[in-house]
Amino acid sequence: MRVNVTVNGEPRRADNVWEGESLLYVLRERLGLPGSKNACEQGECGSCTVYVDGVPACACLVAAGQAEGRDVVTVEGLAEGDALDPVQESFVEQGAVQCGFCTPGLLVAAHDLIERVPDPSDVEIREALAGNLCRCTGYEKILDAVRDAAAKKALR
């Protein structure tokens, strides 16, 4: 099967996709976008979170065929050229990135939160990131990064 999808604003095509293939596999292995990580393959960890038509989704749970004609934004697509999104900048500056495995999903989830709630409370941040598991940071640096990103976005 052939899958045509817009990824990060660019029309892309994947050929010879088999019926059970996930969007995550297509993004990483067929389209060369390794940012979204493959961890649990069950939608439990959040490391593969991407936007599908503007809504965050675990790419491991989306069948590749379901992405036909859709608009997908990955963690790579949050940046504008060489300019990182404020969420990406803040994660680096606040030390919220350690091993980096959970980071792509956390970035997409935090980006989505700040787009919907420009000045989120700690409770809103925790709720928005609840589907993303991290084994390294203890989450405090992640919370600091989201707070910092929201403040940066408010200044733009």
Side-chain angles (χ1 to χ4, degrees):
M1 147 174 74
R2 173 177 289 160
V3 176
N4 296 291
V5 61
T6 300
V7 181
N8 301 329
E10 179 183 328
R12 302 291 299 267
R13 182 179 84 201
D15 292 317
N16 301 317
V17 175
W18 59 279
E19 290 179 11
E21 210 164 290
S22 69
L23 173 59
L24 178 61
Y25 187 87
V26 168
L27 291 170
R28 290 180 55 80
E29 305 302 329
R30 297 189 181 275
L31 301 180
L33 294 165
S36 303
K37 302 299 181 214
N38 185 3
C40 72
E41 294 187 48
Q42 296 177 359
E44 295 293 328
C45 71
S47 67
C48 66
T49 304
V50 298
Y51 284 110
V52 178
D53 290 339
V55 177
C58 289
C60 71
L61 297 180
V62 177
Q66 290 177 299
E68 174 67 32
R70 310 288 284 279
D71 181 46
V72 174
V73 177
T74 68
V75 67
E76 293 96 338
L78 297 181
E80 291 185 30
D82 290 337
L84 295 178
D85 183 85
V87 173
Q88 294 168 314
E89 285 177 1
S90 293
F91 266 64
V92 172
E93 292 168 0
Q94 297 297 319
V97 178
Q98 288 192 15
C99 83
F101 214 76
C102 66
T103 306
L106 283 164
L107 288 168
V108 173
H111 182 271
D112 179 63
L113 170 64
I114 294 169
E115 290 295 311
R116 291 182 295 105
V117 183
D119 186 22
S121 67
D122 283 359
V123 170
E124 290 169 315
I125 295 170
R126 289 176 187 276
E127 220 171 84
L129 303 183
N132 298 80
L133 302 178
C134 175
R135 295 181 178 178
C136 300
T137 66
Y139 296 97
E140 199 55 44
K141 298 263 185 208
I142 294 167
L143 297 173
D144 292 343
V146 176
R147 289 183 207 107
D148 185 61
K152 283 181 181 177
K153 276 225 167 176
L155 296 174
R156 290 186 177 185

